[in-house]
Amino acid sequence: MVSETVTMSRASRLFGLSLGYFMVLLDTTVLTVALPDLRASLGGGVAGLQWAVTGYTVTFAALLPTAGAVSDRFGAHRVFAAGVVAFGLVSLLSAAAPNLAVLVVLRAVLGAAGALCLPSSLAIITRLYPVPAERGRALGTWAAITGCALAAGPVAGGLLVSAGGWRAVFLVNVPVALLSLVLVRDIRVPATGRAIDWWAQLMACAFLAVLTDAVVDRRVVSAIAAAVLAMVMVVVERRSAAPAVPGAVIAEPGVRRGLIAGAAVNFALSGGLFVLTLSLQRHLGPVATGLAFLPLTLPTAFNPLVTGRLVARYGPRPPVLAGLTLLTLGCLAATPVPWLGMLLIGFGVSFSLPALVTGVVQAAPEGAAGVASGLLNAVRQVGATLGVAVMGGLAAGTAFAVAAALCLVAGLILAIGGRIDRPDRRRCCPAKTDEPVIAPSTTTAP
């Protein structure tokens, strides 16, 4: 009886943690379908729409490593709650944005709030499920629930835009945030006191911002500034006593291979969504466009559960290889046969991403799960930002050919290089220090 109660309690907490990232991911996909209405309401060209999307992903990507370190230092439960509260409040402000410039700024703040939610939720799951096989299944469930945001986003976005315009897509975050907070209210995770290098993070934000500006607006000055900032950032990181990205994390070969694959997956996914949305809405309304995305989004709602079981049994490498292969084929098919291309991309994403999360977290050094997961998702969001910026400026056929080439290269690197995770970690249980500390409540009492 006690065991069943604890299991149910863990399941409810897992659902609450998943809802937090569901909300963060939904904010990207739901806005994609709203872009034409947003343009009609606030004005702006394609570059302005790209910034409405990338303003979110730039700060999200830049702050994820910091958010992982903040999670480890101050306690994942506190950071997750703060991120969810901030996301709900800023979503309300975004719904009232008077012009595109204000909306882009608020989207950047939303990205910062979303960054707090992701690594903290993964760090909590790692502690809630100390047995690797259970953790793999839990991460599969987490990915399935968050993947529902991809499935629900275009359809929900179309319905919301039809009913209340683009502003309605931000209001949906508020009830989701409240439910997530209720479900995770009694989780407690001990803090590690990890130091944080704020200067390195500031430069990471500046680097990604000018890099995006260079790609979106094709400015040579921004490209030069991005190169200079990248070099300065490397110097600062090497001299820092508390680097944003610890060398021990990058030194793991499995982590490096996972980062390359994650960037390629999100480049193809986010860039493809942007290109297809603008293409489809030349002929279809917002609701019809959302429904047209179902071949891509539906696999992300159920296939991560299958992926979680595959990871628990075979490790993360086979599902990631399968996913990258499907993504390559899907990008090649997206222009001549859109529905087939979207279906293959949907299965490719839902095979790759849950397995990548598990592999990188397991490959990370002890005590660095938050930093490793934050780094993975930062690199993924860099890929997403560049995907929108690069593919949005190309013809559809060329754009998807570029995405297919990147996925193919990432797959070859993984196929030749070897596994992502560390097999000793996958077979063995972690130390007791990884166990969660949960406040007493009526749900866990015998």
Side-chain angles (χ1 to χ4, degrees):
M1 184 64 153
V2 174
S3 177
E4 291 180 1
T5 303
V6 171
T7 300
M8 291 177 62
S9 178
R10 284 202 305 179
S12 65
R13 294 185 180 98
L14 177 61
F15 183 63
L17 293 167
S18 301
L19 280 180
Y21 189 44
F22 173 95
M23 172 181 64
V24 172
L25 190 59
L26 182 71
D27 202 65
T28 300
T29 56
V30 80
L31 183 63
T32 301
V33 178
L35 290 177
D37 185 69
L38 177 63
R39 184 177 185 177
S41 174
L42 300 183
V46 173
L49 296 180
Q50 287 175 314
W51 272 112
V53 175
T54 57
Y56 178 85
T57 56
V58 163
T59 53
F60 188 45
L63 292 176
L64 274 170
T66 297
V70 168
S71 173
D72 291 337
R73 180 175 183 179
F74 297 107
H77 62 289
R78 297 189 186 94
V79 174
F80 180 80
V84 171
V85 170
F87 204 95
L89 292 176
V90 179
S91 292
L92 284 174
L93 295 176
S94 299
N99 54 58
L100 188 58
V102 172
L103 180 63
V104 169
V105 172
L106 289 172
R107 289 278 291 166
V109 178
L110 273 176
L116 294 177
C117 298
L118 179 51
S120 56
S121 67
L122 289 171
I124 294 171
I125 292 172
T126 299
R127 295 174 181 273
L128 281 175
Y129 295 87
V131 178
E134 291 184 354
R135 185 184 305 162
R137 288 190 289 271
L139 287 171
T141 301
W142 174 86
I145 295 173
T146 57
C148 286
L150 287 173
V155 178
L159 293 172
L160 288 168
V161 170
S162 295
W166 65 267
R167 299 179 192 274
V169 305
F170 293 103
L171 298 177
V172 74
N173 294 329
V174 178
V176 178
L178 290 173
L179 179 57
S180 175
L181 287 173
V182 169
L183 292 174
V184 303
R185 66 188 182 280
D186 59 350
I187 293 179
R188 300 291 183 271
V189 178
T192 64
R194 183 189 300 274
I196 301 170
D197 189 334
W198 297 107
W199 281 109
Q201 291 308 312
L202 178 62
M203 271 181 282
C205 289
F207 165 71
L208 285 173
V210 296
L211 176 63
T212 304
D213 183 64
V215 176
V216 172
D217 293 331
R218 295 172 175 80
R219 294 179 181 172
V220 176
V221 173
S222 295
I224 296 173
V228 172
L229 281 170
M231 291 186 287
V232 173
M233 190 167 58
V234 169
V235 172
V236 170
E237 282 283 281
R238 287 180 175 177
R239 294 181 177 179
S240 174
V245 182
V249 175
I250 297 296
E252 290 290 343
V255 172
R256 294 198 299 270
R257 287 190 285 269
L259 296 180
I260 294 171
V265 170
N266 270 56
F267 184 100
L269 174 61
S270 296
L273 282 172
F274 187 87
V275 171
L276 287 170
T277 296
L278 295 182
S279 176
L280 288 172
Q281 290 211 356
R282 293 173 186 166
H283 313 289
L284 303 174
V287 175
T289 299
L291 292 173
F293 275 116
L294 286 178
L296 186 153
T297 56
L298 279 180
T300 64
F302 64 85
N303 197 51
L305 291 172
V306 178
T307 303
R309 295 184 179 277
L310 291 174
V311 169
R313 184 168 183 178
Y314 302 108
R317 184 168 176 258
V320 175
L321 281 173
L324 289 170
T325 301
L326 290 171
L327 274 165
T328 302
L329 296 174
C331 288
L332 293 175
T335 302
V337 191
W339 69 267
L340 177 60
M342 287 191 284
L343 184 66
L344 293 173
I345 291 172
F347 274 104
V349 169
S350 54
F351 272 122
S352 301
L353 293 186
L356 281 171
V357 171
T358 304
V360 169
V361 168
Q362 289 178 349
E366 293 292 345
V371 172
S373 62
L375 180 60
L376 170 63
N377 287 285
V379 171
R380 283 178 51 198
Q381 293 309 315
V382 170
T385 300
L386 294 178
V388 172
V390 173
M391 294 179 67
L394 299 173
T398 304
F400 279 108
V402 171
L406 286 177
C407 292
L408 177 61
V409 169
L412 290 174
I413 290 173
L414 183 58
I416 297 171
R419 63 190 317 131
I420 302 173
D421 64 335
R422 289 169 57 176
D424 56 323
R425 293 247 180 104
R426 189 160 58 90
R427 289 193 299 264
C428 302
C429 297
K432 290 185 178 180
T433 53
D434 279 343
E435 293 176 358
V437 178
I438 302 173
S441 72
T442 55
T443 59
T444 58

